[in-house]
């Protein structure tokens, strides 16, 4: 049986929001981008996973949009400096430390766009032990024993 321990995406998002709270600005973890008070952040995460026989590689692309109160470059530069400090090195999720890579900060039409990647590689372990939960027995109106279908998951 294959076993993989993958950190929940919600836990990643919670830690990112918690980190952004240190700026003193409101953070939204939704896609709604109308009718909100500025300054504020919007956070989105987009995972991509590649499966291999002995590991799973996950790249989580984090996108943060900062909407300044005044839409000035100065306010955006000040926030960019804060974010560069907050998101340097690692992001701690539970008892794990994930390296932040490819930090990119750009200003577009008065909005600060911040993206970075969190890479996570998890080992896949296999167990030869078969438990009762692994056995699936299906009966097809058994008239004779040959109608009994037994499947064992591995």
């Amino acid at each position: 049986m294959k076993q993989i321990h993958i950190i929940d995406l919600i836990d990643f998002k919670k830690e990112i929001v918690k980190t952004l709270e240190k700026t003193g600005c409101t953070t939204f973890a939704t896609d709604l981008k109308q009718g909100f008070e500025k300054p504020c952040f919007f956070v989105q995460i987009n995972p991509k996973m590649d499966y291999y026989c002995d590991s799973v590689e996950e790249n989580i692309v984090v996108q943060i949009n900062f909407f300044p109160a005044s839409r000035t470059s100065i306010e955006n530069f000040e926030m960019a400096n804060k974010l560069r400090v907050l998101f340097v090195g690692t992001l701690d999720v539970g008892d794990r430390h994930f390296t932040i890579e490819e930090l990119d900060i750009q200003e577009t039409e008065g909005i600060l766009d911040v993206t970075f990647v969190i890479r996570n590689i998890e080992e896949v372990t296999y167990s030869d032990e078969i438990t009762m939960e692994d056995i699936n027995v299906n009966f097809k109106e058994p008239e004779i024993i040959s109608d009994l279908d037994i499947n064992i998951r591995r």
Side-chain angles (χ1 to χ4, degrees):
M1 176 181 328
K2 190 181 343 180
Q3 297 175 346
I4 306 169
H5 176 70
I6 298 177
I7 305 283
D8 194 322
L9 292 173
I10 294 170
D11 293 336
F12 278 105
K13 199 163 194 176
K14 284 179 182 177
E15 287 303 318
I16 292 164
V17 168
K18 192 164 95 175
T19 301
L20 289 171
E21 287 174 351
K22 296 174 185 175
T23 65
C25 295
T26 303
T27 302
F28 296 97
T30 64
D31 293 337
L32 175 70
K33 293 187 179 174
Q34 297 177 19
F36 55 87
E37 288 189 36
K38 301 173 189 173
C40 66
F41 294 102
F42 283 89
V43 178
Q44 295 176 330
I45 59 173
N46 301 297
K48 178 184 179 262
M49 297 179 82
D50 291 318
Y51 297 92
Y52 303 98
C53 61
D54 62 347
S55 65
V56 174
E57 183 177 325
E58 182 175 33
N59 293 320
I60 300 170
V61 178
V62 177
Q63 183 176 0
I64 301 169
N65 301 111
F66 173 66
F67 291 82
S70 61
R71 290 193 108 155
T72 64
S73 291
I74 296 296
E75 188 177 359
N76 279 335
F77 291 150
E78 289 170 349
M79 185 55 69
N81 285 332
K82 289 178 185 178
L83 296 176
R84 287 171 53 207
V85 171
L86 289 173
F87 290 106
V88 69
T90 62
L91 179 72
D92 298 336
V93 180
D95 61 349
R96 306 270 309 271
H97 310 288
F98 296 92
T99 302
I100 294 174
E101 300 178 6
E102 302 177 35
L103 180 63
D104 183 36
I105 302 175
Q106 297 182 20
E107 183 183 32
T108 307
E109 297 181 16
I111 298 168
L112 194 64
D113 296 314
V114 179
T115 58
F116 57 85
V117 177
I118 299 168
R119 294 198 202 293
N120 181 26
I121 298 175
E122 295 291 342
E123 181 181 1
V124 176
T125 57
Y126 295 91
S127 171
D128 290 334
E129 180 181 315
I130 298 174
T131 64
M132 289 307 291
E133 291 86 29
D134 297 329
I135 299 175
N136 182 16
V137 178
N138 296 316
F139 293 97
K140 304 176 195 173
E141 296 184 31
E143 294 174 13
I144 56 174
I145 197 69
S146 64
D147 289 337
L148 183 61
D149 181 22
I150 299 176
N151 296 312
I152 299 178
R153 290 183 289 169
R154 288 203 179 221

